[in-house]
Amino acid sequence: MTQLLHRFRLLYRHDHALRFSPKAATAMFGGVVAAGAGLAALAVLALSLWTISPYSAGGPGTALHVAAALWLLAHGAELSRSDGLTGGTVPIGVTPLLLTALPAWLLHRIAAQALAPDPLADGEGPDGEPELGPVAATGWLVAGYLLVALAAALYTDVGPLRGEPLSALLCVPLVAAPVAAVGAWTAYGRPTSALANWAPPPVAWLLPRGGASTGLRAAGVAVGAVVVGGALLSGGALAWHAGAVGDDFGQLTGSFSGRFAVLLLIVALVPNVALWGAAYALGPGFALGVGGAVSPAGAYGYPRVLPHFPLLAALPSPTGRDGGSPFLWLVLAVPVAAAAVLSWYVAHVAVQHDWTVPGTAAVVALAALCGGAVLAWSALLVAGPMGTGALSSFGPVAWSMGVAHFGWMLGLGLPGALGVRWWLLSRAGARV
């Protein structure tokens, strides 16, 4: 009888999840505050650059318009600007990930604070109203965030830097919903049982106790190793072409404010460059224009003379398909090292908790799956058009990058983890 009443109570709570209530309004207001704080931070930056620029066009309203457009770009939305030479429209679709970090951090912090459950509520508020569950509260918070995004899209529909409303409505939820969900998960104490429920059925059935949290940590370790390796590759290429990078930086603008803005753009693109290097190391590489690509197999399909931008100066000259140097295949040591780190980490935890072989394999599979999903989601942000012609399509292909990481981590990480586990157990048995 008690269980029946508990189930009825949960159903009642679920039926009232979508009803607009004071608690739903509080969660929704948290989303509005998170979006407003991100917009305000970018507005301060845009107004500062407009103040020190000697060639500023328009008034403060233009700077605020640019700030709203940049806020949409930070969520993956596509922008467009007018070309003064041809009169056409130039698309801008590559998101600087460091620009994304600011609104994502604000949304995560506010979600973690606003969605924290009341330990004294016991499922109901002081007025007898059912407490919102984590899913419903996250939904209302994201709804408030999307209201501000809709207003920003309408505000930037006309101007020098225009936001595409359809792109904003499609892309902003893809960034806001996962970040808010992680914030809600943090607010509820990061329960690992919730992670196991989201795993695919074959993996969830085999996951041992503590396997979900270990799989997530292993995925983070592997993704971090791949991204760090990509950053080292990209940094080495920039250092090798330091002369060309410096020349392109000096040719873009001669004013102090212009060079400062270009420097800020380069810094904001540093995580993008690391992901481009990671895509190169994983094997698929990244696209450079329609039909152009850069990978260890060669560089082809794009003109030898690229637009003068410092980060583009490190790209190799077109060599044709399968025309790259054999030494370029040494970059595949990056995913091999990432798989080795994943294997070592999972094997050590497996020995400590006495996991079985199927349980260890399930944890490796979960880590490979989560890592591939994270890299594919990141590739969606860092890929897109940077102009027309040679830069109409730039960046890694999301599905190929995710599948490549999953294949590397599962193909090498699974036998590696089982081998290290067997070796550690053998050492422990020899000591006994």
Side-chain angles (χ1 to χ4, degrees):
M1 186 66 180
T2 304
Q3 293 181 356
L4 184 61
L5 290 175
H6 180 65
R7 291 183 180 179
F8 178 77
R9 187 178 183 182
L10 289 179
L11 288 175
Y12 176 80
R13 179 178 173 183
H14 177 72
D15 291 339
H16 286 72
L18 298 179
R19 179 178 297 177
F20 193 76
S21 62
K23 298 178 180 60
T26 302
M28 197 172 184
F29 180 72
V32 173
V33 170
L39 276 170
L42 290 179
V44 170
L45 177 62
L47 288 172
S48 300
L49 292 176
W50 172 80
T51 302
I52 64 176
S53 176
Y55 309 109
S56 57
T62 303
L64 295 177
H65 187 280
V66 171
L70 290 179
W71 186 81
L72 292 175
L73 180 65
H75 294 80
E78 186 173 317
L79 305 181
S80 60
R81 62 177 180 84
S82 300
D83 190 353
L85 297 178
T86 62
T89 301
V90 178
I92 303 172
V94 176
T95 301
L97 282 188
L98 205 60
L99 193 65
T100 306
L102 176 62
W105 177 76
L106 290 171
L107 179 58
H108 176 269
R109 288 295 302 271
I110 292 179
Q113 296 175 3
L115 304 184
D118 187 0
L120 303 178
D122 193 22
E124 292 186 357
D127 53 355
E129 182 185 350
E131 284 286 334
L132 287 178
V135 177
T138 305
W140 283 112
L141 187 137
V142 173
Y145 200 87
L146 294 182
L147 281 179
V148 180
L150 178 61
L154 295 177
Y155 178 65
T156 59
D157 191 28
V158 179
L161 193 61
R162 298 182 298 275
E164 301 294 335
L166 181 60
S167 176
L169 293 179
L170 292 176
C171 294
V172 174
L174 292 178
V175 175
V179 174
V182 174
W185 181 58
T186 303
Y188 280 80
R190 300 185 180 93
T192 57
S193 58
L195 302 177
N197 294 334
W198 286 97
V203 177
W205 295 335
L206 297 174
L207 277 177
R209 183 181 297 274
S213 58
T214 302
L216 275 187
R217 293 191 187 97
V221 169
V223 169
V226 171
V227 173
V228 169
L232 293 176
L233 291 175
S234 302
L238 289 171
W240 185 264
H241 300 85
V245 171
D247 293 341
D248 288 348
F249 183 80
Q251 292 178 10
L252 284 176
T253 179
S255 64
F256 170 77
S257 59
R259 293 187 176 183
F260 182 69
V262 172
L263 183 61
L264 286 179
L265 177 59
I266 293 175
V267 172
L269 287 172
V270 166
N272 298 53
V273 174
L275 282 173
W276 298 336
Y280 185 88
L282 288 172
F286 51 90
L288 188 59
V290 178
V294 179
S295 69
Y300 58 90
Y302 61 91
R304 291 182 176 273
V305 180
L306 292 171
H308 293 288
F309 188 73
L311 297 181
L312 298 180
L315 293 175
S317 300
T319 56
R321 296 177 183 269
D322 300 326
S325 170
F327 295 102
L328 293 179
W329 290 99
L330 294 176
V331 302
L332 299 182
V334 172
V336 172
V341 172
L342 183 147
S343 303
W344 190 265
Y345 179 78
V346 174
H348 269 270
V349 179
V351 171
Q352 291 174 4
H353 295 81
D354 196 19
W355 290 346
T356 61
V357 171
T360 306
V363 173
V364 174
L366 179 63
L369 184 64
C370 293
V374 169
L375 285 180
W377 179 74
S378 302
L380 285 174
L381 294 177
V382 302
M386 291 182 66
T388 57
L391 298 181
S392 58
S393 177
F394 191 77
V397 180
W399 70 266
S400 63
M401 188 173 182
V403 169
H405 180 83
F406 176 78
W408 278 107
M409 297 305 110
L410 189 65
L412 296 181
L414 181 56
L418 296 179
V420 174
R421 174 184 174 274
W422 173 82
W423 177 68
L424 292 175
L425 291 176
S426 301
R427 288 185 57 188
R431 290 174 183 173
V432 173

Short mmCIF file of all heavy atoms in Angstrom, two decimals, residues 300-340:
data_model
loop_
_atom_site.label_atom_id
_atom_site.label_comp_id
_atom_site.label_asym_id
_atom_site.label_seq_id
_atom_site.Cartn_x
_atom_site.Cartn_y
_atom_site.Cartn_z
N TYR A 300 44.68 18.88 -49.83
CA TYR A 300 44.25 19.03 -51.21
C TYR A 300 42.96 19.84 -51.25
O TYR A 300 42.26 19.99 -50.25
CB TYR A 300 44.01 17.66 -51.85
CG TYR A 300 42.99 16.82 -51.14
CD1 TYR A 300 41.64 16.89 -51.46
CD2 TYR A 300 43.37 15.96 -50.12
CE1 TYR A 300 40.70 16.14 -50.79
CE2 TYR A 300 42.44 15.20 -49.43
CZ TYR A 300 41.10 15.29 -49.79
OH TYR A 300 40.17 14.54 -49.11
N GLY A 301 42.66 20.36 -52.45
CA GLY A 301 41.37 20.96 -52.71
C GLY A 301 41.22 22.41 -52.31
O GLY A 301 40.11 22.94 -52.36
N TYR A 302 42.27 23.09 -51.92
CA TYR A 302 42.15 24.50 -51.57
C TYR A 302 43.32 25.27 -52.17
O TYR A 302 44.38 24.69 -52.45
CB TYR A 302 42.09 24.70 -50.05
CG TYR A 302 43.31 24.23 -49.29
CD1 TYR A 302 44.37 25.08 -49.03
CD2 TYR A 302 43.39 22.92 -48.83
CE1 TYR A 302 45.48 24.65 -48.32
CE2 TYR A 302 44.49 22.48 -48.12
CZ TYR A 302 45.53 23.35 -47.87
OH TYR A 302 46.62 22.91 -47.18
N PRO A 303 43.17 26.58 -52.40
CA PRO A 303 44.23 27.35 -53.06
C PRO A 303 45.46 27.48 -52.18
O PRO A 303 45.40 27.41 -50.96
CB PRO A 303 43.57 28.72 -53.31
CG PRO A 303 42.48 28.80 -52.32
CD PRO A 303 41.98 27.41 -52.11
N ARG A 304 46.59 27.67 -52.83
CA ARG A 304 47.84 27.82 -52.09
C ARG A 304 47.90 29.13 -51.32
O ARG A 304 48.55 29.20 -50.27
CB ARG A 304 49.03 27.73 -53.06
CG ARG A 304 49.23 26.35 -53.66
CD ARG A 304 50.45 26.30 -54.57
NE ARG A 304 50.67 24.96 -55.07
CZ ARG A 304 51.37 24.03 -54.44
NH1 ARG A 304 51.94 24.32 -53.28
NH2 ARG A 304 51.53 22.83 -54.96
N VAL A 305 47.27 30.17 -51.86
CA VAL A 305 47.27 31.47 -51.20
C VAL A 305 45.96 31.61 -50.45
O VAL A 305 44.89 31.73 -51.06
CB VAL A 305 47.45 32.62 -52.20
CG1 VAL A 305 47.44 33.96 -51.48
CG2 VAL A 305 48.75 32.44 -52.99
N LEU A 306 46.02 31.59 -49.12
CA LEU A 306 44.84 31.72 -48.27
C LEU A 306 44.72 33.14 -47.75
O LEU A 306 45.68 33.92 -47.83
CB LEU A 306 44.95 30.74 -47.10
CG LEU A 306 44.87 29.26 -47.46
CD1 LEU A 306 45.20 28.40 -46.24
CD2 LEU A 306 43.50 28.89 -48.00
N PRO A 307 43.57 33.53 -47.24
CA PRO A 307 43.44 34.87 -46.65
C PRO A 307 44.46 35.09 -45.55
O PRO A 307 44.85 34.15 -44.83
CB PRO A 307 42.01 34.86 -46.09
CG PRO A 307 41.29 33.86 -46.93
CD PRO A 307 42.28 32.81 -47.26
N HIS A 308 44.90 36.32 -45.42
CA HIS A 308 45.95 36.65 -44.44
C HIS A 308 45.35 36.70 -43.03
O HIS A 308 44.82 37.72 -42.59
CB HIS A 308 46.59 38.00 -44.79
CG HIS A 308 47.36 37.96 -46.08
ND1 HIS A 308 48.57 37.31 -46.21
CD2 HIS A 308 47.07 38.48 -47.30
CE1 HIS A 308 49.01 37.43 -47.45
NE2 HIS A 308 48.12 38.14 -48.14
N PHE A 309 45.44 35.58 -42.36
CA PHE A 309 45.05 35.48 -40.97
C PHE A 309 46.10 34.64 -40.26
O PHE A 309 46.53 33.60 -40.79
CB PHE A 309 43.67 34.84 -40.82
CG PHE A 309 43.13 34.90 -39.42
CD1 PHE A 309 42.69 36.10 -38.89
CD2 PHE A 309 43.09 33.77 -38.63
CE1 PHE A 309 42.20 36.17 -37.59
CE2 PHE A 309 42.60 33.82 -37.33
CZ PHE A 309 42.16 35.03 -36.81
N PRO A 310 46.58 35.08 -39.10
CA PRO A 310 47.73 34.39 -38.48
C PRO A 310 47.56 32.89 -38.31
O PRO A 310 48.50 32.12 -38.56
CB PRO A 310 47.86 35.10 -37.13
CG PRO A 310 47.29 36.46 -37.36
CD PRO A 310 46.19 36.27 -38.34
N LEU A 311 46.39 32.43 -37.90
CA LEU A 311 46.21 31.00 -37.65
C LEU A 311 46.21 30.19 -38.94
O LEU A 311 46.54 29.00 -38.93
CB LEU A 311 44.91 30.76 -36.89
CG LEU A 311 44.84 31.38 -35.49
CD1 LEU A 311 43.51 31.04 -34.83
CD2 LEU A 311 45.99 30.89 -34.62
N LEU A 312 45.84 30.81 -40.07
CA LEU A 312 45.84 30.09 -41.34
C LEU A 312 47.24 29.97 -41.93
O LEU A 312 47.45 29.16 -42.84
CB LEU A 312 44.92 30.80 -42.35
CG LEU A 312 43.44 30.89 -41.97
CD1 LEU A 312 42.67 31.60 -43.06
CD2 LEU A 312 42.87 29.50 -41.73
N ALA A 313 48.18 30.73 -41.41
CA ALA A 313 49.54 30.66 -41.94
C ALA A 313 50.23 29.35 -41.60
O ALA A 313 51.22 28.98 -42.24
CB ALA A 313 50.37 31.83 -41.40
N ALA A 314 49.73 28.61 -40.61
CA ALA A 314 50.35 27.35 -40.22
C ALA A 314 49.85 26.17 -41.04
O ALA A 314 50.35 25.05 -40.86
CB ALA A 314 50.08 27.09 -38.73
N LEU A 315 48.87 26.38 -41.91
CA LEU A 315 48.36 25.27 -42.71
C LEU A 315 49.38 24.85 -43.76
O LEU A 315 50.08 25.69 -44.32
CB LEU A 315 47.05 25.67 -43.39
CG LEU A 315 45.86 25.90 -42.45
CD1 LEU A 315 44.67 26.42 -43.24
CD2 LEU A 315 45.50 24.61 -41.74
N PRO A 316 49.46 23.56 -44.05
CA PRO A 316 50.41 23.11 -45.07
C PRO A 316 49.96 23.47 -46.47
O PRO A 316 48.76 23.69 -46.73
CB PRO A 316 50.43 21.59 -44.87
CG PRO A 316 49.08 21.28 -44.32
CD PRO A 316 48.71 22.46 -43.45
N SER A 317 50.89 23.53 -47.38
CA SER A 317 50.55 23.78 -48.78
C SER A 317 49.91 22.53 -49.37
O SER A 317 50.19 21.41 -48.94
CB SER A 317 51.81 24.14 -49.58
OG SER A 317 52.42 25.31 -49.05
N PRO A 318 49.00 22.71 -50.35
CA PRO A 318 48.35 21.53 -50.95
C PRO A 318 49.38 20.57 -51.54
O PRO A 318 50.26 20.96 -52.31
CB PRO A 318 47.46 22.14 -52.03
CG PRO A 318 47.23 23.54 -51.60
CD PRO A 318 48.48 23.97 -50.91
N THR A 319 49.28 19.30 -51.17
CA THR A 319 50.20 18.27 -51.66
C THR A 319 49.48 17.19 -52.44
O THR A 319 50.12 16.27 -52.94
CB THR A 319 50.92 17.61 -50.48
OG1 THR A 319 49.96 17.09 -49.56
CG2 THR A 319 51.80 18.62 -49.76
N GLY A 320 48.15 17.26 -52.51
CA GLY A 320 47.40 16.22 -53.20
C GLY A 320 47.04 15.09 -52.27
O GLY A 320 47.49 15.00 -51.14
N ARG A 321 46.21 14.22 -52.78
CA ARG A 321 45.79 13.05 -52.00
C ARG A 321 46.96 12.09 -51.86
O ARG A 321 47.66 11.79 -52.83
CB ARG A 321 44.61 12.35 -52.67
CG ARG A 321 43.35 13.20 -52.76
CD ARG A 321 42.26 12.44 -53.49
NE ARG A 321 41.06 13.26 -53.66
CZ ARG A 321 40.06 13.30 -52.83
NH1 ARG A 321 40.11 12.55 -51.73
NH2 ARG A 321 39.01 14.04 -53.05
N ASP A 322 47.11 11.59 -50.61
CA ASP A 322 48.19 10.64 -50.29
C ASP A 322 49.55 11.23 -50.64
O ASP A 322 50.48 10.50 -50.99
CB ASP A 322 48.00 9.32 -51.04
CG ASP A 322 46.68 8.65 -50.69
OD1 ASP A 322 46.26 8.78 -49.53
OD2 ASP A 322 46.08 8.01 -51.58
N GLY A 323 49.66 12.55 -50.56
CA GLY A 323 50.93 13.17 -50.89
C GLY A 323 51.67 13.72 -49.71
O GLY A 323 52.65 14.43 -49.87
N GLY A 324 51.21 13.44 -48.50
CA GLY A 324 51.86 13.96 -47.32
C GLY A 324 53.14 13.21 -46.99
O GLY A 324 53.41 12.11 -47.50
N SER A 325 53.92 13.80 -46.15
CA SER A 325 55.16 13.16 -45.73
C SER A 325 54.86 11.95 -44.85
O SER A 325 53.91 11.96 -44.06
CB SER A 325 56.00 14.17 -44.94
OG SER A 325 57.10 13.52 -44.33
N PRO A 326 55.65 10.87 -44.99
CA PRO A 326 55.42 9.70 -44.12
C PRO A 326 55.55 10.04 -42.64
O PRO A 326 54.95 9.36 -41.80
CB PRO A 326 56.51 8.72 -44.57
CG PRO A 326 56.86 9.14 -45.96
CD PRO A 326 56.70 10.63 -45.97
N PHE A 327 56.33 11.07 -42.33
CA PHE A 327 56.50 11.43 -40.92
C PHE A 327 55.21 12.00 -40.33
O PHE A 327 55.06 12.03 -39.10
CB PHE A 327 57.64 12.45 -40.78
CG PHE A 327 58.97 11.89 -41.15
CD1 PHE A 327 59.55 12.19 -42.38
CD2 PHE A 327 59.67 11.05 -40.29
CE1 PHE A 327 60.77 11.68 -42.73
CE2 PHE A 327 60.90 10.52 -40.63
CZ PHE A 327 61.46 10.85 -41.87
N LEU A 328 54.30 12.47 -41.19
CA LEU A 328 53.06 13.02 -40.67
C LEU A 328 52.21 11.97 -39.97
O LEU A 328 51.40 12.29 -39.10
CB LEU A 328 52.24 13.67 -41.80
CG LEU A 328 52.85 14.93 -42.44
CD1 LEU A 328 51.96 15.44 -43.55
CD2 LEU A 328 53.04 16.01 -41.39
N TRP A 329 52.40 10.71 -40.35
CA TRP A 329 51.62 9.66 -39.70
C TRP A 329 52.07 9.43 -38.26
O TRP A 329 51.40 8.71 -37.52
CB TRP A 329 51.73 8.37 -40.50
CG TRP A 329 51.00 8.46 -41.80
CD1 TRP A 329 51.52 8.71 -43.02
CD2 TRP A 329 49.59 8.32 -41.99
NE1 TRP A 329 50.53 8.74 -43.98
CE2 TRP A 329 49.33 8.50 -43.37
CE3 TRP A 329 48.51 8.07 -41.14
CZ2 TRP A 329 48.05 8.43 -43.91
CZ3 TRP A 329 47.23 8.00 -41.68
CH2 TRP A 329 47.00 8.18 -43.05
N LEU A 330 53.17 10.04 -37.87
CA LEU A 330 53.59 9.94 -36.47
C LEU A 330 52.61 10.64 -35.52
O LEU A 330 52.61 10.37 -34.32
CB LEU A 330 54.99 10.53 -36.30
CG LEU A 330 56.13 9.78 -37.00
CD1 LEU A 330 57.45 10.52 -36.81
CD2 LEU A 330 56.25 8.35 -36.48
N VAL A 331 51.78 11.55 -36.08
CA VAL A 331 50.81 12.23 -35.22
C VAL A 331 49.77 11.26 -34.68
O VAL A 331 49.07 11.57 -33.71
CB VAL A 331 50.11 13.37 -35.99
CG1 VAL A 331 51.12 14.38 -36.50
CG2 VAL A 331 49.27 12.84 -37.13
N LEU A 332 49.64 10.07 -35.29
CA LEU A 332 48.70 9.08 -34.78
C LEU A 332 49.13 8.56 -33.42
O LEU A 332 48.37 7.83 -32.77
CB LEU A 332 48.56 7.93 -35.77
CG LEU A 332 48.03 8.30 -37.16
CD1 LEU A 332 47.90 7.06 -38.02
CD2 LEU A 332 46.69 9.01 -37.05
N ALA A 333 50.33 8.93 -32.97
CA ALA A 333 50.73 8.57 -31.61
C ALA A 333 49.86 9.28 -30.57
O ALA A 333 49.78 8.81 -29.42
CB ALA A 333 52.20 8.93 -31.39
N VAL A 334 49.20 10.37 -30.95
CA VAL A 334 48.35 11.09 -30.00
C VAL A 334 47.15 10.24 -29.58
O VAL A 334 46.93 10.03 -28.37
CB VAL A 334 47.90 12.43 -30.61
CG1 VAL A 334 46.85 13.10 -29.72
CG2 VAL A 334 49.09 13.35 -30.78
N PRO A 335 46.33 9.69 -30.50
CA PRO A 335 45.23 8.83 -30.03
C PRO A 335 45.72 7.55 -29.39
O PRO A 335 45.04 7.01 -28.50
CB PRO A 335 44.42 8.56 -31.30
CG PRO A 335 45.35 8.81 -32.42
CD PRO A 335 46.26 9.90 -31.96
N VAL A 336 46.88 7.04 -29.81
CA VAL A 336 47.42 5.84 -29.16
C VAL A 336 47.76 6.14 -27.70
O VAL A 336 47.45 5.34 -26.80
CB VAL A 336 48.65 5.33 -29.93
CG1 VAL A 336 49.35 4.20 -29.17
CG2 VAL A 336 48.26 4.85 -31.31
N ALA A 337 48.37 7.29 -27.46
CA ALA A 337 48.69 7.67 -26.08
C ALA A 337 47.42 7.90 -25.27
O ALA A 337 47.34 7.52 -24.09
CB ALA A 337 49.55 8.93 -26.08
N ALA A 338 46.39 8.51 -25.88
CA ALA A 338 45.13 8.72 -25.17
C ALA A 338 44.48 7.39 -24.81
O ALA A 338 43.95 7.23 -23.70
CB ALA A 338 44.18 9.56 -26.03
N ALA A 339 44.50 6.42 -25.73
CA ALA A 339 43.94 5.10 -25.42
C ALA A 339 44.73 4.40 -24.32
O ALA A 339 44.16 3.70 -23.48
CB ALA A 339 43.92 4.24 -26.69
N ALA A 340 46.04 4.60 -24.30
CA ALA A 340 46.86 3.99 -23.25
C ALA A 340 46.53 4.59 -21.89
O ALA A 340 46.43 3.87 -20.88
CB ALA A 340 48.34 4.19 -23.57
#
